[in-house]
Amino acid sequence: MEPIEQVAAVRYTDADGLADALRDADALFVYDFLSTAVPGAWHAANRLRWLHIASAGVDPVMFPALRESDVVLTNSRGVFDNSIAEYVLGQILAFAKDFARSIKLQRERTWRHRESERIEGRSVLVVGTGPIGRSIARLLRAVGMHVAGAGRTARDGDPDFGTVHASARLNEHLPEFDYVVAVAPLTEQTKGMFDAAAFAAMKPGARFVNVGRGELVVTGDLVEALRAERIAGAALDVFDTEPLPPDNPLWTMENVHISPHMSGDFVGWRNALVEVFADNFRRWRAGQPLVNVVDKGLGYVPSGG
């Protein structure tokens, strides 16, 4: 932030001081991308023109007053794409190669030979066709998996997904896939899209991976689907309540892999987020078009935007 401090008055604040810091501010950098403080302080934004959030998802700041304002909203898409793709591949390999059981048996000093699954030739549906979804698709194709996407518009011949199915008809296509990866942005249309009907539509041996938003999933329906073995497993990096409460049954399920919202967090990610904002700040001061401008009606950056 030092180059920015040399040319602008920068105020650093926590949630409690946000309203005071917002008064007469031209730009707001929401570095704590999990904070829900912006709506409550919005009344003080008397001259704000630009809001940048240090994440790809913008749901913490997509409240009605911002949507209806002239404030430009940008995000930090691009920072986490490859890291999240690697995480997804890692989770798929962990399921196929039964790494969790190997670690358990090692701790028990038990020598137990087992056969593992191949991932080459297995099918994956990536639900969410933005930059992160595309990175996931490219990496999984590179290891020989058959990949398709699900997005707003159905189409064939996509360079990364090949076939893209319409999200509105998601449940019709779920039975075709061995792995289902959720990376869609959280919108009114996607909230709760993975419910009892969706899990019932999946293959009994399918695994579900969520690196999108916790609210994409009806958690109780997922728990029931896992208990009833309607799906074979789940790798979950995001949850509708974070931290995941200690009494949540997901913690103790052997076919569930849990990580604390860290799928994209590589060494150096915090600096990378500041660099994205700093680059946009230079553009903003120079009167140049900003990158990663969010369509506030859609809730995400349109392709090519």
Side-chain angles (χ1 to χ4, degrees):
M1 293 291 291
E2 291 181 4
I4 297 174
E5 292 171 349
Q6 293 174 6
V7 296
V10 179
R11 306 168 189 161
Y12 297 94
T13 184
D14 57 13
D16 292 337
L18 181 57
D20 288 338
L22 262 179
R23 290 188 179 90
D24 297 327
D26 297 296
L28 171 62
F29 178 23
V30 183
Y31 182 69
D32 180 2
F33 54 84
L34 296 177
S35 173
T36 58
V38 177
W42 193 250
H43 64 277
N46 58 325
R47 57 184 278 182
L48 197 70
R49 293 183 287 151
W50 170 39
L51 188 157
H52 180 89
I53 186 168
S55 65
V58 297
D59 42 287
V61 296
M62 287 302 292
F63 52 97
L66 174 63
R67 286 183 184 271
E68 297 162 7
S69 74
D70 294 328
V71 174
V72 176
L73 174 62
T74 58
N75 71 359
S76 301
R77 79 169 186 170
V79 172
F80 300 112
D81 299 3
N82 293 336
S83 182
I84 292 176
E86 292 167 358
Y87 173 95
V88 170
L89 175 58
Q91 290 290 0
I92 290 173
L93 284 167
F95 279 125
K97 304 307 176 185
D98 201 17
F99 288 151
R101 190 177 303 275
S102 292
I103 293 170
K104 178 177 182 294
L105 292 171
Q106 177 184 340
R107 289 172 176 164
E108 296 171 355
R109 303 186 184 188
T110 300
W111 183 278
R112 183 179 301 163
H113 181 268
R114 300 167 340 271
E115 294 178 345
S116 65
E117 302 171 15
R118 297 289 306 276
I119 66 169
E120 183 180 12
R122 302 300 290 272
S123 57
V124 186
L125 180 65
V126 179
V127 183
T129 56
I132 296 175
R134 291 187 177 279
S135 290
I136 293 169
R138 289 192 292 267
L139 186 57
L140 298 186
R141 282 184 181 277
V143 296
M145 303 190 80
H146 298 306
V147 182
R152 281 194 308 145
T153 306
R155 57 192 180 274
D156 292 318
D158 185 275
D160 297 314
F161 298 100
T163 298
V164 175
H165 302 292
S167 295
R169 303 180 64 179
L170 177 66
N171 290 6
E172 297 177 27
H173 300 285
L174 287 173
E176 305 167 21
F177 296 93
D178 301 304
Y179 292 89
V180 177
V181 180
V183 70
L186 182 63
T187 67
E188 288 302 316
Q189 291 71 37
T190 62
K191 186 175 183 178
M193 68 190 305
F194 290 99
D195 56 9
F199 293 122
M202 293 183 191
K203 285 183 179 182
R207 277 74 171 243
F208 175 67
V209 181
N210 189 8
V211 289
R213 282 291 183 265
E215 293 90 340
L216 299 175
V217 178
V218 180
T219 301
D221 292 351
L222 172 60
V223 169
E224 179 56 30
L226 290 162
R227 281 176 171 163
E229 298 183 354
R230 284 193 286 274
I231 62 173
L236 308 170
D237 185 58
V238 289
F239 304 87
D240 54 6
T241 300
E242 295 183 0
L244 184 66
D247 60 350
N248 191 292
L250 291 168
W251 281 112
T252 56
M253 291 183 167
E254 290 189 0
N255 55 348
V256 175
H257 303 167
I258 289 174
S259 57
H261 205 144
M262 55 170 282
S263 61
D265 296 350
F266 56 92
V267 174
W269 66 275
R270 292 177 176 84
N271 287 339
L273 289 174
V274 176
E275 289 168 4
V276 171
F277 170 71
D279 177 68
N280 246 354
F281 180 80
R282 287 188 288 270
R283 293 170 179 269
W284 187 59
R285 286 196 74 238
Q288 299 172 349
L290 299 178
V291 298
N292 293 351
V293 175
V294 175
D295 183 318
K296 292 188 287 186
L298 295 175
Y300 52 87
V301 179
S303 296

